[in-house]
Amino acid sequence: MWDDAFPSFLIGLREGLEAGLVVSVLVATLVRADAKSRLPQVWTGVLAAIALSMSFGAVLTFTAASLSTAVQEAFGGALSIVAVAFVTAMVFWMRRSARSLAGEIKEKVTEALTMGAGVLVLTSFLAVGREGLETALFLWTTARAADESAGPLTGAGIGLVLAAVLCWGLYRRVLSINLTRFFTATGAVLIVIAAGVLGYGLRDLQEGRVLPGGAAYAVDLSGSVDAGSWYSTLLQGVLNLTPTMTWLQVVGYVGYLGVVMTLFVRGLRGAAPSPSPSPAPTGTAPATPPRAAKAPPPLPAPALTRHRPAWLIPVAVVAVPAVLAGLVVVLARPEPAGGETVAVSAKDCGQGFTAPEPGRQTFQMRNTGDQTSEVYLIDPATNAVYGEIEGLAPGTTRDLVATVAGGTYAWRCVPSDGKAVTSKAVRVGGAAGAGAVVPVSEQDLAGPLRAYKAYVNRGLATLVTETRKLGGDIRAGHLGAARADWLTAHRTYASLGAAYGTFEEFDQKINGRPDGLPGGVHDKDFTGFHRLEYGLWHGQSAGELKDPAQQLAADAAELRNAFPRQDFDVSDLPLRAHEILENTLQFELTGDTDQGSGTGLATADADLSGTRELLTVLRPLLTTRAPRLLPTVDADIARLQALLDAEHRDGRWTAVDRLGRTGKARIDGATGQLLEDLSPVPDLLEIRKSA
């Protein structure tokens, strides 16, 4: 949990220390001015600032929970960028103001003493409120990045408590801290953390479809870096660096870090040195002021014209922000567009559902239970699904939009750890409509899975023969023939749909990349097709390639023997129709996997063949559920195939880096369009839990 807690600990410590120093100076100045009777006004302003900050955090949390998934991503991404802006401004402001902070606060308090009580309350409120709002915003973004981890709140709590202890020690003069150095060091660390928050926010905006480039990956180490390892978890929690990052994330991270850190360091070098740095902030203790500064005389207590309870103002400054926050949350919650609110839980499934009018309807689905649930609008006679929501958290509400026609309707609620419950059915009059999707069962997918596994088994038998031939070429020193046989064998492997762990750990042995290996292409653990590709196209001798070739043939044979016993989840089969070409767009069409052969388009062609084979075994199920989908997909495949064929001339493939800008754009665009049209397949063939 510490990896998630550290950024919030640092922001809690720093912001808490800033606010605490301000309060210390306020209190010390009033004590020196013999105006202790005005201290409650300071604490009232501090209490109001805390109440406002907590209310702001509540508004962010409960407002975001009412939004759709895509809007939540966009909302969170936008606020992450705002948080980065606030933290950046705070770092630079504190670097400039650390030496003169106490003097500025003293001056403001001295002016406030000559005015009414409201001015002193406002002075303390504004001084603390800024840090409080910044803290709330930063904590919200880091907590969201950490999902359900309690780390951010725990870290912030520890940081705030430590800041309070340090401020008390400074006030009582039992501690000595060089605040200029403290704020400089923490400022540099916060700039690094803020760069990660910026990258995370940009990714959220891409997932919310506000910014483009969500599939344009600059870094993808998911195949060679264990996302659950301690070092990966630490980097993700502290710096928001993930194994997979898009170009926009990388540019934003590097650009922010380079520009802001450079300006920060230049500002430090250009700052005039302090003639006599003090170990503690000037004026943070009730000590005798310098001779040149004259403390204000004691002020007479203002005449009271009426009495009010002492508790009234503190209660008001807490209640008003809380009430306003509640109103904002209620008003921000989307209202149903002519629909109704329907309960989702094992106990109350479908409560509030009445026969709707025919036409497009919006239902507000409210999870009234204590478990995250899925909910489906179904035809109870056939289990056909008209609409669904996945991952509806307890206490949250989301819209489900569906077109209602003549027929029978019911709700099916599926708690995450419970039994599915189906509500009472209602009847809608009128002509029957289309649009419902009949869910598939494991039995429905069993036949396609057997057919696909038979195809893979045949391909693996061919692969074993081809890798042995490749090894024989290398042992005989026929490296020219080996290059041709390497491509043949590699295309066979790619056509088997080796995407997202289809072959478990064998894929890393047979087709792994050098990314993440300490020795790169020279690492002893770099094996398989890409190891041979590097050697064959970089002038290595047959003697150097003999052992890797023998190892590849052995791994291929071991995979062929192991595959029939491997656990292939039947629900994963529809995913492969989309994921194979996702890999193609991410790796082959970027040249990321190329180790010198320039055959990325040949591999893309093999990936397309594998996708076509998957669609062949799934075609009967898709035809009955989405009859207009397959003709569109077939046209997309033909278009992409023609573009790839145009780059295969005289037995040679054009290298990806030698494609013209127009040719590259056409192939990328055709692949992206095919992926877009294939994206409904996993949902159409999803196995859904029935009652």
Side-chain angles (χ1 to χ4, degrees), residues 622-665:
L622 291 172
T623 300
T624 58
R625 288 166 173 79
R628 287 183 285 187
L629 173 66
L630 286 175
T632 301
V633 168
D634 289 341
D636 291 340
I637 290 176
R639 178 189 173 205
L640 178 56
Q641 187 67 68
L643 291 171
L644 292 174
D645 290 343
E647 302 300 334
H648 186 206
R649 307 180 189 93
D650 301 326
R652 299 179 64 87
W653 290 87
T654 304
V656 171
D657 59 2
R658 294 187 179 181
L659 286 172
R661 180 177 299 179
T662 301
K664 178 73 163 59

Side-chain angles (χ1 to χ4, degrees), residues 642-688:
L643 291 171
L644 292 174
D645 290 343
E647 302 300 334
H648 186 206
R649 307 180 189 93
D650 301 326
R652 299 179 64 87
W653 290 87
T654 304
V656 171
D657 59 2
R658 294 187 179 181
L659 286 172
R661 180 177 299 179
T662 301
K664 178 73 163 59
R666 285 176 178 170
I667 292 176
D668 287 348
T671 307
Q673 184 61 56
L674 177 54
L675 279 170
E676 183 72 22
D677 291 333
L678 284 172
S679 61
V681 172
D683 290 332
L684 289 170
L685 303 183
E686 179 183 358
I687 298 175
R688 294 177 171 88

Side-chain angles (χ1 to χ4, degrees), residues 288-638:
T288 304
R291 296 180 180 179
K294 186 177 182 181
L299 296 178
L304 299 178
T305 57
R306 57 182 179 180
H307 296 281
R308 64 168 64 93
W311 52 265
L312 181 61
I313 293 180
V315 169
V317 299
V318 173
V320 170
V323 171
L324 291 177
L327 289 174
V328 170
V329 170
V330 171
L331 294 175
R333 181 173 298 165
E335 295 295 330
E340 55 193 5
T341 301
V342 181
V344 178
S345 72
K347 180 181 178 181
D348 303 322
C349 184
Q351 184 175 333
F353 180 51
T354 57
E357 295 294 325
R360 189 173 177 83
Q361 298 292 340
T362 301
F363 303 95
Q364 274 199 314
M365 310 309 299
R366 177 73 177 174
N367 189 340
T368 58
D370 57 1
Q371 297 183 47
T372 298
S373 297
E374 298 176 1
V375 60
Y376 308 104
L377 179 62
I378 65 169
D379 179 345
T382 63
N383 287 326
V385 177
Y386 292 92
E388 66 181 299
I389 292 177
E390 297 182 351
L392 184 62
T396 60
T397 302
R398 280 160 60 186
D399 285 351
L400 187 150
V401 180
T403 299
V404 176
T408 305
Y409 296 85
W411 293 102
R412 177 161 294 154
C413 306
V414 187
S416 57
D417 295 323
K419 184 179 179 181
V421 177
T422 303
S423 73
K424 181 180 178 181
V426 300
R427 178 73 186 175
V428 176
V437 176
V438 179
V440 299
S441 64
E442 290 191 16
Q443 185 177 358
D444 293 328
L445 285 170
L449 179 60
R450 283 194 299 271
Y452 183 67
K453 291 183 75 170
Y455 160 77
V456 174
N457 273 319
R458 292 192 300 271
L460 289 175
T462 303
L463 179 67
V464 170
T465 300
E466 292 173 346
T467 53
R468 287 174 178 170
K469 183 181 179 183
L470 171 60
D473 291 336
I474 292 177
R475 286 194 302 273
H478 301 152
L479 298 186
R483 294 187 188 95
D485 288 340
W486 175 91
L487 180 58
T488 300
H490 190 239
R491 280 169 52 81
T492 296
Y493 183 78
S495 68
L496 303 181
Y500 290 81
T502 299
F503 296 138
E504 298 179 354
E505 72 276 5
F506 285 101
D507 186 52
Q508 180 62 31
K509 295 179 182 178
I510 294 174
N511 205 41
R513 292 170 288 135
D515 303 355
L517 297 177
V521 295
H522 303 293
D523 196 277
K524 62 180 179 59
D525 293 327
F526 181 33
T527 62
F529 278 112
H530 292 303
R531 166 65 184 92
L532 289 175
E533 178 188 9
Y534 178 83
L536 287 169
W537 275 271
H538 284 83
Q540 290 188 347
S541 67
E544 293 174 286
L545 298 176
K546 181 177 66 175
D547 288 344
Q550 183 178 352
Q551 183 64 48
L552 173 61
D555 289 336
E558 189 178 353
L559 172 59
R560 181 194 177 189
N561 294 331
F563 181 71
R565 301 187 302 274
Q566 285 184 333
D567 183 18
F568 197 118
D569 191 339
V570 65
S571 63
D572 285 346
L573 190 62
L575 294 174
R576 296 294 181 263
H578 187 265
E579 291 174 343
I580 294 173
L581 287 177
E582 274 190 345
N583 268 10
T584 304
L585 189 63
Q586 185 175 345
F587 298 122
E588 273 69 43
L589 296 184
T590 60
D592 188 60
T593 56
D594 184 25
Q595 298 299 322
S597 68
T599 58
L601 294 184
T603 306
D605 180 73
D607 290 340
L608 187 60
S609 297
T611 301
R612 190 184 289 111
E613 182 65 29
L614 265 173
L615 292 174
T616 298
V617 301
L618 296 173
R619 187 171 292 269
L621 296 175
L622 291 172
T623 300
T624 58
R625 288 166 173 79
R628 287 183 285 187
L629 173 66
L630 286 175
T632 301
V633 168
D634 289 341
D636 291 340
I637 290 176

Side-chain angles (χ1 to χ4, degrees), residues 120-345:
L120 193 55
V121 172
L122 182 62
T123 299
S124 59
F125 171 77
L126 293 177
V128 178
R130 191 190 71 141
E131 278 74 21
L133 291 175
E134 288 178 357
T135 303
L137 180 57
F138 193 86
L139 282 181
W140 186 84
T141 57
T142 53
R144 187 172 181 275
D147 296 324
E148 298 181 359
S149 170
L153 295 181
T154 303
I158 296 173
L160 290 171
V161 170
L162 181 58
V165 172
L166 291 176
C167 287
W168 179 86
L170 291 170
Y171 178 82
R172 303 298 299 179
R173 288 192 179 273
V174 298
L175 287 178
S176 177
I177 299 175
N178 188 318
L179 291 177
T180 300
R181 291 182 180 177
F182 172 82
F183 285 119
T184 298
T186 56
V189 177
L190 276 178
I191 289 173
V192 177
I193 292 174
V197 174
L198 176 62
Y200 175 82
L202 292 174
R203 182 58 179 164
D204 272 354
L205 290 175
Q206 288 179 315
E207 292 180 349
R209 299 187 178 181
V210 175
L211 294 176
Y217 294 99
V219 177
D220 189 343
L221 304 178
S222 56
S224 53
V225 174
D226 181 8
S229 62
W230 67 268
Y231 55 86
S232 180
T233 303
L234 184 65
L235 287 175
Q236 292 181 63
V238 177
L239 304 179
N240 270 306
L241 290 177
T242 58
T244 303
M245 297 182 71
T246 65
W247 278 107
L248 183 60
Q249 283 182 279
V250 172
V251 171
Y253 183 93
V254 174
Y256 172 89
L257 191 61
V259 172
V260 176
M261 188 65 79
T262 299
L263 293 175
F264 185 77
V265 172
R266 284 181 179 177
L268 293 176
R269 292 174 179 174
S274 176
S276 56
S278 173
T282 305
T284 55
T288 304
R291 296 180 180 179
K294 186 177 182 181
L299 296 178
L304 299 178
T305 57
R306 57 182 179 180
H307 296 281
R308 64 168 64 93
W311 52 265
L312 181 61
I313 293 180
V315 169
V317 299
V318 173
V320 170
V323 171
L324 291 177
L327 289 174
V328 170
V329 170
V330 171
L331 294 175
R333 181 173 298 165
E335 295 295 330
E340 55 193 5
T341 301
V342 181
V344 178
S345 72

